[in-house]
Amino acid sequence: MDKAKAVTALTTSLQKIDLNPGPPGSNIKSKPSNIFADPHFSVSLPKKTKPPSLVGLCLGVVGRHLEDIIADLDEIGINLPADIKMAVAAVARRRKLLNDDVLMSLADTSWEILDVSGSDVSDFGIIKAAEVCRFIRALDISRCSKITATGVSEVVKHCPLLETLRCGGCPRSDSIARRCLSIFKPKLNSLEEDSWEELDTDEIASGAQSLRWLVWPNIDKGSLEDFSAECPRIVVNPKQSPFGFNDDHVPWEALQYITLDDAAVRDIDSTTWAVHGFITKAAPPSPASSSELSVAEKFRLAFMERDTRLAPKRAKNARQHQRRAAREFLLMNTSAKAAVLASQISKSLNSKS
């Protein structure tokens, strides 16, 4: 019994030992705690940053001195891979150096995305690029004041896979986007040939056959209603939802907050296009009283658009006139008729022999 009492007393004494005493003079006893098990305790550890790649560092150096090699970019671009060309073009656009010459020097046949927004690219440059980059799926021409409906029409013609077009952003681009409704709308051309055998394949139908998404953030109500009525298959300013948009997946290129060429410069330091001492060219001041084009400019653009639209018809009429003149000449001229008959008889005799 004495041993049992001794064991009980020793156990009680050990239980009273406080291994985590509080401050001197206080009766508060702290409990042992595990700070890593406490869900409310967070330790801010330094995050490990991924070191830049060697390619990214090299492109950063090239981007900082891009204006020095633009004159020779045509020869340099021949030996560059497609992704490097796109990265250089993206840096040039951010540095306000992207123009027709730079774009034509870097355009690659494997490109599926082209972003020339806010650049000095004109109709000439975008048409030449479209002739090379025929697999373009997404194109951004927003804030490009030098690209007109003529350039957009040629892009649609040369890029049959174009699904996403981003436009608008300034008064000139907004006006051009309104004029492009007739380009985006698929239609049957008027057929005036004498027989189906004389028709060309591209004369049967025209229009943006594959265009599905139009990103135009500041579209006016009238243009939106026109697009909804005339081009119901083209979704204007699509929004992504967890259940899909009209049971169709909205591609990332069609989301408004996305910049198309961001992926091309992901590994490049952003200070590359913020070169010290570089001054961005200021846009020419626009009259405060009006945000639209002048009447003379509207007439000029309308005339160019009409001339471009009627050019294929004029060429087709000329071909028809030439063929009919040739037939009338054979019917009216006895010598020509005799020559044709002699040629036919000669062919038949040669075939029999």
Side-chain angles (χ1 to χ4, degrees):
M1 294 295 296
D2 295 336
K3 290 182 178 180
K5 291 181 179 179
V7 171
T8 302
L10 181 60
T11 302
T12 304
S13 300
L14 291 175
Q15 290 177 349
K16 293 181 179 180
I17 296 177
D18 187 5
L19 299 178
N20 298 279
S26 66
N27 296 325
I28 301 176
K29 296 182 179 180
S30 61
K31 296 181 180 179
S33 61
N34 186 356
I35 61 174
F36 299 101
D38 188 356
H40 301 288
F41 182 83
S42 60
V43 180
S44 59
L45 298 176
K47 296 181 179 180
K48 294 183 178 180
T49 57
K50 184 180 178 181
S53 64
L54 180 59
V55 175
L57 292 174
C58 293
L59 286 174
V61 175
V62 172
R64 290 185 182 91
H65 304 279
L66 189 57
E67 65 274 12
D68 298 330
I69 63 173
I70 283 182
D72 302 319
L73 196 57
D74 195 7
E75 299 179 2
I76 298 173
I78 298 176
N79 301 317
L80 296 179
D83 56 338
I84 302 299
K85 290 181 182 179
M86 183 172 290
V88 175
V91 173
R93 186 182 70 82
R94 285 162 171 78
R95 290 202 54 195
K96 304 298 181 183
L97 297 174
L98 185 60
N99 53 25
D100 291 345
D101 295 333
V102 174
L103 181 60
M104 290 187 295
S105 300
L106 297 173
D108 191 87
T109 55
S110 64
W111 282 5
E112 296 183 0
I113 294 172
L114 180 58
D115 190 344
V116 297
S117 57
S119 67
D120 291 331
V121 174
S122 66
D123 282 345
F124 179 77
I126 200 67
I127 292 173
K128 290 297 183 181
E131 293 175 355
V132 176
C133 312
R134 292 181 174 268
F135 299 102
I136 292 294
R137 295 184 294 102
L139 173 65
D140 192 343
I141 57 171
S142 57
R143 306 186 309 281
C144 289
S145 58
K146 296 183 179 180
I147 296 180
T148 67
T150 302
V152 177
S153 177
E154 292 297 318
V155 169
V156 170
K157 182 188 302 182
H158 293 294
C159 301
L161 303 180
L162 183 64
E163 297 179 352
T164 304
L165 180 67
R166 306 166 72 98
C167 56
C170 67
R172 179 68 180 272
S173 296
D174 291 338
S175 178
I176 298 303
R178 295 188 193 98
R179 298 177 181 275
C180 290
L181 175 60
S182 60
I183 299 174
F184 300 151
K185 181 174 61 175
K187 57 184 178 297
L188 290 175
N189 293 334
S190 58
L191 306 178
E192 299 181 1
E193 298 289 355
D194 296 334
S195 64
W196 284 96
E197 289 78 6
E198 297 180 358
L199 287 174
D200 297 332
T201 304
D202 56 354
E203 291 181 351
I204 299 176
S206 63
Q209 303 291 337
S210 60
L211 187 63
R212 184 63 189 279
W213 315 101
L214 181 66
V215 182
W216 185 2
N218 54 340
I219 184 173
D220 57 280
K221 185 178 179 181
S223 299
L224 181 59
E225 293 176 352
D226 291 341
F227 270 94
S228 301
E230 301 290 340
C231 306
R233 63 183 180 81
I234 298 179
V235 182
V236 182
N237 297 330
K239 296 181 180 179
Q240 194 176 31
S241 68
F243 304 104
F245 190 90
N246 292 340
D247 296 332
D248 290 328
H249 173 67
V250 180
W252 64 268
E253 299 95 341
L255 301 177
Q256 297 185 29
Y257 58 87
I258 294 295
T259 304
L260 286 186
D261 59 1
D262 266 354
V265 294
R266 186 175 300 164
D267 296 332
I268 304 177
D269 188 3
S270 59
T271 58
T272 300
W273 45 87
V275 179
H276 180 69
F278 177 76
I279 301 176
T280 304
K281 291 187 293 185
S286 58
S289 58
S290 64
S291 60
E292 292 292 334
L293 299 174
S294 63
V295 176
E297 182 67 11
K298 288 182 179 180
F299 272 106
R300 188 185 71 83
L301 293 175
F303 175 79
M304 291 178 59
E305 180 182 357
R306 180 178 179 275
D307 185 69
T308 303
R309 187 176 67 254
L310 296 180
K313 186 176 181 62
R314 289 196 300 268
K316 182 171 62 176
N317 291 339
R319 294 196 301 269
Q320 287 180 348
H321 181 73
Q322 185 177 4
R323 285 194 291 266
R324 288 170 182 169
R327 285 197 295 267
E328 292 176 359
F329 176 76
L330 292 176
L331 293 175
M332 300 298 295
N333 192 300
T334 307
S335 301
K337 188 185 299 184
V340 172
L341 292 175
S343 176
Q344 293 177 353
I345 294 173
S346 177
K347 288 182 180 178
S348 62
L349 293 176
N350 292 333
S351 62
K352 290 180 180 180
S353 62

